[in-house]
Amino acid sequence: MRQFYISDPKLFDLDISAFDFRLYEYLCKNYDLKRLSPYVRMVDCADHFLTPLPKIKEALQRLSLLSIDYKPLITHKNFTYFDMPRYKYFLESIKFRKNYSRGGWSKLKQNVNSYKNGAYE
């Protein structure tokens, strides 16, 4: 299920530029929920946003300086491989587990159903 992602509500409390937010959103959309690992290359990001690769690297560097609950949004090594510790922690907190995402989907379905039934109004 590509181009679907579950948003971390604490992300909206950060002071983040619009481009950095869109980039992080794109990375979350391409996150592999089954293996709990990022599934996108920087070249793909540059192609998607029609921006040069150095601008993507700068944005990833800015995102690596931001953290929520002491978990950085992005960690990277020479921009070749990167990880998303905060997003991974968020997914695990709502029952998504590596190679076992069924619990996360059922928890998500319960929350959507309760929202539809007016429990959050």
Side-chain angles (χ1 to χ4, degrees), residues 33-111:
L33 293 175
K34 199 171 253 187
R35 294 178 186 90
L36 292 182
S37 64
Y39 187 74
V40 69
R41 300 174 306 161
M42 286 189 304
V43 176
D44 297 334
C45 295
D47 287 344
H48 179 76
F49 291 108
L50 302 173
T51 58
L53 198 55
K55 187 173 179 180
I56 299 295
K57 287 182 179 182
E58 291 171 6
L60 287 174
Q61 182 62 34
R62 286 190 301 270
L63 288 171
S64 71
L65 299 175
L66 296 173
S67 64
I68 300 173
D69 296 334
Y70 305 106
K71 301 215 180 321
L73 296 182
I74 300 284
T75 57
H76 60 84
K77 293 183 181 181
N78 299 329
F79 293 107
T80 306
Y81 300 103
F82 66 91
D83 196 13
M84 301 171 68
R86 172 57 196 179
Y87 195 63
K88 183 177 182 178
Y89 173 79
F90 169 70
L91 290 174
E92 288 175 345
S93 72
I94 58 171
K95 307 291 187 237
F96 276 90
R97 301 282 187 251
K98 186 174 183 175
N99 297 323
Y100 184 72
S101 60
R102 183 171 184 244
W105 288 115
S106 38
K107 176 83 170 167
L108 182 64
K109 184 179 177 184
Q110 289 173 357
N111 288 342

Side-chain angles (χ1 to χ4, degrees), residues 17-32:
S17 72
F19 179 76
D20 292 352
F21 180 80
R22 287 183 21 232
L23 177 63
Y24 189 73
E25 177 185 46
Y26 178 73
L27 296 174
C28 291
K29 283 180 184 179
N30 288 290
Y31 198 84
D32 188 350

